[in-house]
Amino acid sequence: MNSCSKAILKPSKDVVPLSTWILISKLKVEYMLTRGADGSFNRNLAEFHDRKASASLAPHDGVASMDVTIDRSSGLWSRIFLPAIAYAQEEQENRDDKVPIIFYFHGGSYAHSSANTALYDMVCRQLCRTCRAVVISVNYRRAPEHRCPAAYRDGLAALRWLRLQAARHVAATWLPPGADLSRCFLAGDSSGGNMVHHVGVAAATARHELWPVRVVGHVLLMPMFGGVERTASERRLDGQYFVTVKDRDYYWKLFLPEGADRDHPACNVFGPGSAAERVLGEIPVPKSLVVVAGLDLTQDWQLRYARGMERSGKSVEVLVLEDTPVGFFIFPNTEQYYRVMDKIRGFVRDEEEPMDSSTWRDSSLARQERE
């Protein structure tokens, strides 16, 4: 039976160290410097501040990586992370241990960062190592040079590319033994979390043409959703923890089609006049894990998204991380970061994660809605 469950992780101590606040503040300043007073965006300055990491086939901490071109005409490429342990002789002999595949869409409000950004290189390496999965980090086209739906099309193109690899028997040259194309996941944070939904819907609609590639789960980390309405969390947290409502409005204006407002379905999935619930009810969108940061001003939109998916008959699990700021997921120096990684591993590997009653408490979305 499809359901929507919610858990709230209450830290037993101050899990966000001063270093994390400083790093997020630095990132915020770098983002602000790229924005012109006239609403323009300085791509050259954004690239100047974006520290890059190189791919390496020599395993580092058990993970090798390489860059591949997906579509020369659009310039689309991906960085692939491979778990070195999956190539070991004992792993090859254990045919029952399948290796899942995770397509990762980086954050950056659709304007910042890349698949080779050092911070996201680190995140994908950790995902690869923790989940013992192949991770394909998609370097989708960014706004404002490429507005919606270019990023969504790139995400779907990456899935089609993997299908062609399998059809041409090319995949065997780089995929580890046991790689399971029928067990693919879409994951992403911020704008990448928004992409997970939209690419996932497109993949579910085109599922027959994508076979044997099959998406079986979505992981949305602090997904970037919004709308014209100002919600309670936006009013309460505006400018309190790095992000302002004005910041979000700016990036939506860069990304959405010219003339569109924030009730466009790319931003407000279940907005006014939306047919999303009916459409979603007709296609097999897989289970979702939605992670919400308790100090993120857009949390109300993320919870509304989860409720909309539940009304559409989809299985959704929500994890709310209290006292946690937006951006924490790209800095591996908090208890929350590793707890989320473990949660993703359990989601991908179908493992049950034990809950510590001293730090977890259950709550229903219905109760959240009443509050």
Side-chain angles (χ1 to χ4, degrees):
M1 185 174 76
N2 293 326
S3 63
C4 186
S5 63
K6 178 182 173 188
I8 301 178
L9 177 58
K10 296 175 69 65
S12 55
K13 58 182 179 178
D14 183 7
V15 297
V16 182
L18 178 61
S19 59
T20 299
W21 296 104
I22 293 173
L23 289 168
I24 297 176
S25 297
K26 179 177 179 292
L27 201 61
K28 164 75 173 181
V29 170
E30 292 173 353
Y31 277 25
M32 291 297 294
L33 289 173
T34 65
R35 294 163 48 174
D38 59 353
S40 60
F41 181 79
N42 190 324
R43 172 62 60 201
N44 291 333
L45 192 55
E47 291 301 304
F48 174 78
H49 287 297
D50 188 19
R51 187 167 65 89
K52 307 291 187 182
S54 299
S56 174
L57 284 173
H60 175 65
D61 289 338
V63 177
S65 61
M66 64 180 187
D67 294 339
V68 297
T69 299
I70 290 178
D71 185 343
R72 293 187 183 280
S73 64
S74 66
L76 177 63
W77 61 275
S78 289
R79 175 160 293 180
I80 300 176
F81 299 84
L82 303 164
I85 190 173
Y87 291 92
Q89 182 64 34
E90 59 269 24
E91 291 295 327
Q92 294 183 38
E93 294 172 355
N94 185 0
R95 299 300 179 182
D96 293 331
D97 188 15
K98 297 296 186 180
V99 179
I101 299 172
I102 302 173
F103 287 85
Y104 194 84
F105 307 122
H106 67 78
S109 300
Y110 283 115
H112 299 273
S113 299
S114 304
N116 61 349
T117 294
L119 290 171
Y120 282 106
D121 182 270
M122 177 275 300
V123 165
C124 290
R125 285 179 183 277
Q126 184 71 32
L127 272 176
C128 177
R129 185 165 48 247
T130 299
C131 299
R132 195 162 51 174
V134 173
V135 177
I136 302 176
S137 181
V138 182
N139 196 60
Y140 58 87
R141 288 171 290 176
R142 296 165 299 178
E145 299 91 339
H146 304 281
R147 293 177 175 268
C148 173
Y152 303 153
R153 289 173 176 168
D154 288 348
L156 187 60
L159 291 169
R160 287 184 170 133
W161 170 82
L162 183 59
R163 183 191 68 82
L164 287 173
Q165 291 271 293
R168 296 170 180 170
H169 303 287
V170 176
T173 65
W174 60 270
L175 277 175
D180 190 353
L181 275 67
S182 70
R183 191 161 179 77
C184 294
F185 294 81
L186 307 183
D189 67 290
S190 183
S191 50
N194 175 284
M195 280 187 67
V196 167
H197 170 78
H198 292 287
V199 175
V201 170
T205 303
R207 60 193 179 280
H208 298 302
E209 72 174 77
L210 289 174
W211 189 90
V213 172
R214 179 168 171 257
V215 177
V216 297
H218 296 170
V219 179
L220 300 87
L221 303 161
M222 295 72 65
M224 184 175 158
F225 294 119
V228 171
E229 175 195 351
R230 297 305 186 199
T231 67
S233 66
E234 286 177 314
R235 294 191 298 269
R236 182 177 72 256
L237 297 171
D238 186 17
Q240 296 297 308
Y241 299 97
F242 308 108
V243 181
T244 67
V245 169
K246 185 177 179 181
D247 294 334
R248 282 287 173 249
D249 291 352
Y250 170 81
Y251 287 110
W252 280 122
K253 188 172 183 180
L254 290 187
F255 174 70
L256 293 173
E258 292 279 4
D261 65 23
R262 293 187 304 278
D263 279 336
H264 186 282
C267 177
N268 192 353
V269 175
F270 298 102
S274 170
E277 287 186 37
R278 176 184 57 79
V279 172
L280 288 167
E282 297 172 355
I283 56 176
V285 175
K287 64 179 181 177
S288 298
L289 169 64
V290 180
V291 178
V292 178
L295 302 180
D296 182 353
L297 62 82
T298 61
Q299 63 185 265
D300 285 348
W301 290 110
Q302 295 159 6
L303 294 172
R304 286 187 185 188
Y305 168 77
R307 289 193 290 270
M309 294 298 286
E310 180 188 21
R311 289 193 301 269
S312 302
K314 308 309 175 186
S315 178
V316 186
E317 181 178 1
V318 179
L319 174 62
V320 178
L321 305 169
E322 290 195 342
D323 303 321
T324 304
V326 65
F328 84 96
F329 185 70
I330 55 177
F331 299 112
N333 58 352
T334 67
E335 173 189 320
Q336 308 290 58
Y337 172 87
Y338 291 102
R339 194 62 186 271
V340 169
M341 280 289 180
D342 287 344
K343 188 70 176 178
I344 295 172
R345 181 196 63 213
F347 184 81
V348 170
R349 286 282 178 177
D350 274 336
E351 299 171 353
E352 290 294 330
E353 182 189 18
M355 288 190 180
D356 181 348
S357 60
S358 67
T359 57
W360 289 79
R361 62 183 171 87
D362 295 320
S363 175
S364 69
L365 282 178
R367 177 181 174 185
Q368 173 72 27
E369 193 164 24
R370 289 196 301 270
E371 293 174 348

